[in-house]
């Protein structure tokens, strides 16, 4: 082990190579309360990021439709744009997870996308100020552009990054990781409760010492301040986290297997290769439809999503050994 990891401290029971992509928190033997507490402390800041992100997301999702109506959008248009915002926040995590696994690792991906998220909340806070500062275009860029992108980097990585902090080779580590997951979903609900129970009300009605006209600005500013605090504290504890290196471009490997199988005559592989881009294209078309409603774009979105999911379902149904059998001749995989 020392030959493989020459920079390892000789007395460390859990070790890892030091480098830009991997820094491990030394793991004490089971029963070491001080080290166990260290893991808990590190995860507090990970949970804080998730709490604040959910607080901000549900605040925007719950207040966006009403603010757009104030800008002159119809009820139908406001509802469509609000749905598009939620769709983008669910679509971008596909890219965020891919980037983390293939290039940056989870920590760097969270920090960089959370920074984009923070900028988005600040842009939206300024865009809702009454008077000359109010701008619908800036608000849509901040929410549907920056916040949606930022959500895409946090959502698929934060829970896994928290789970990385525990040594699951021991029973104590497995149980601690289960506790973390429980805490993780608790903070999601706390964020949702705080946003719908207080922040959205502050947006529409104002609050103590906050005039109604400045309700949106106050709520979004609080969200931005909370995100800045969560991000800074998360970064300050970077030396205590276990940083696993990127696992490799797994998506590229799967794509190569599928395309290889399709070239060798597999109809099921061909169906999956057609279904994935068709589904994504249909979802993106539905987002376009929310900005510019038209019958053709609606039909394209429905056909793309329905046809794509049907193709993927047919291709992935049953025994999947055909992927290996038809791709094994491709030595580049």
């Amino acid at each position: 082990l020392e030959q493989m990891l020459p920079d390892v401290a000789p007395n460390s029971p859990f070790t890892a190579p030091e480098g830009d992509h991997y820094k491990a928190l030394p793991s004490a033997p089971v029963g070491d309360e001080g080290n166990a507490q260290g893991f808990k402390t590190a995860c507090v800041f990970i949970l804080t990021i998730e709490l604040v992100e959910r607080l901000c997301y549900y605040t925007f999702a719950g207040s966006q439709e009403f603010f757009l109506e104030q800008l002159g959008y119809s009820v139908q248009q406001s509802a469509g744009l609000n749905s598009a915002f939620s769709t983008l926040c669910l679509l971008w995590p596909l890219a965020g997870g891919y980037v983390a696994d293939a290039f940056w690792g989870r920590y760097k991906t969270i920090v960089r996308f959370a920074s984009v998220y923070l900028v988005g909340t600040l842009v939206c806070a300024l865009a809702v100020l009454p008077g000359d500062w109010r701008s619908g275009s800036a608000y849509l860029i901040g929410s549907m552009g920056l916040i949606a992108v930022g959500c895409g980097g946090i959502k698929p990585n934060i829970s896994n990054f928290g789970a990385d902090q525990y040594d699951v080779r021991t029973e104590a580590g497995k149980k601690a990781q289960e506790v973390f997951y429980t805490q993780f979903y608790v903070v999601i609900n706390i964020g949702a409760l705080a946003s719908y129970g207080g922040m959205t009300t502050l947006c529409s009605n104002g609050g103590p010492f906050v005039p109604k006209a400045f309700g949106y600005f106050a709520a979004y500013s609080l969200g931005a301040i909370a995100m800045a605090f969560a991000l800074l504290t998360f970064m300050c504890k970077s030396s205590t986290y276990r940083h696993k290196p990127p696992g490799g471009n797994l998506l590229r490997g799967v794509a190569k297997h599928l395309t290889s199988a399709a070239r060798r005559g597999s109809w099921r592989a061909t169906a999956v290769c057609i279904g994935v881009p068709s589904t994504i294209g249909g979802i993106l078309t539905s987002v376009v439809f929310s900005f510019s409603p038209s019958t053709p774009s609606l039909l394209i979105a429905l056909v793309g999503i329905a046809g794509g999911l049907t193709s993927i379902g047919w291709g992935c149904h049953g025994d999947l050994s055909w992927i290996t059998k038809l791709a094994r001749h491709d030595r580049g995989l």
Side-chain angles (χ1 to χ4, degrees):
L1 179 62
E2 290 180 356
Q3 290 178 353
M4 295 173 62
L5 307 174
D7 296 329
V8 164
N11 297 325
S12 177
F14 181 84
T15 54
E18 294 288 338
D20 184 49
H21 297 290
Y22 197 104
K23 294 180 181 177
L25 177 63
S27 175
V30 177
D32 187 327
E33 296 298 330
N35 195 36
Q37 184 63 34
F39 275 108
K40 293 178 182 178
T41 302
C43 286
V44 165
F45 299 97
I46 297 173
L47 293 173
T48 302
I49 284 280
E50 177 63 15
L51 170 64
V52 174
E53 190 278 324
R54 290 291 87 185
L55 172 70
C56 292
Y57 169 76
Y58 286 117
T59 298
F60 280 95
S63 64
Q64 186 180 66
E65 187 173 345
F66 302 104
F67 178 72
L68 292 174
E69 291 177 15
Q70 292 183 13
L71 294 178
Y73 289 89
S74 66
V75 174
Q76 181 180 3
Q77 289 174 327
S78 300
L81 290 172
N82 186 245
S83 298
F85 170 69
S86 299
T87 300
L88 290 172
C89 288
L90 294 174
L91 187 61
W92 273 108
L94 296 176
Y98 171 74
V99 169
D101 287 340
F103 303 107
W104 292 347
R106 292 185 179 123
Y107 174 77
K108 288 185 178 180
T109 301
I110 292 170
V111 169
R112 291 170 181 176
F113 278 76
S115 300
V116 175
Y117 200 115
L118 173 59
V119 173
T121 58
L122 290 172
V123 169
C124 288
L126 293 176
V128 299
L129 269 173
D132 296 336
W133 282 91
R134 178 159 291 193
S135 171
S137 299
Y139 178 79
L140 292 176
I141 291 173
S143 59
M144 295 196 175
L146 298 174
I147 290 178
V149 171
C151 182
I154 298 173
K155 194 176 183 67
N157 296 303
I158 192 70
S159 63
N160 291 329
F161 185 66
D164 289 343
Q165 309 308 308
Y166 299 94
D167 184 3
V168 294
R169 296 174 300 178
T170 66
E171 286 300 320
K174 291 179 181 179
K175 292 181 180 179
Q177 189 183 76
E178 292 176 0
V179 172
F180 167 77
Y181 279 124
T182 300
Q183 295 170 341
F184 183 81
Y185 288 106
V186 167
V187 300
I188 290 176
N189 288 300
I190 292 175
L193 177 64
S195 60
Y196 283 114
M199 297 288 275
T200 55
T201 303
L202 178 61
C203 286
S204 58
N205 298 323
F209 309 106
V210 179
K212 182 177 181 179
F214 287 85
Y216 286 94
F217 173 73
Y220 293 169
S221 296
L222 288 175
I225 293 171
M227 178 57 72
F229 172 80
L231 180 57
L232 287 175
T233 54
F234 178 75
M235 294 172 63
C236 288
K237 299 295 292 185
S238 61
S239 61
T240 66
Y241 300 136
R242 292 176 60 196
H243 297 256
K244 290 189 176 181
N249 199 335
L250 301 180
L251 184 61
R252 180 172 176 267
V254 173
K256 290 184 68 176
H257 274 292
L258 287 171
T259 54
S260 176
R263 288 196 302 267
R264 297 178 188 281
S266 172
W267 285 102
R268 295 177 69 182
T270 302
V272 175
C273 290
I274 294 175
V276 171
S278 177
T279 302
I280 295 176
I283 294 174
L284 292 176
T285 304
S286 70
V287 174
V288 174
F289 173 79
S290 66
F291 286 93
S292 180
S294 65
T295 301
S297 61
L298 177 61
L299 291 176
I300 292 173
L302 293 176
V303 171
I305 295 173
L309 292 177
T310 301
S311 297
I312 295 173
W314 180 74
C316 296
H317 177 70
D319 184 15
L320 299 179
S321 61
W322 54 272
I323 298 178
T324 303
K325 292 178 180 179
L326 293 176
R328 64 176 53 178
H329 298 291
D330 191 341
R331 299 183 182 275
L333 297 179

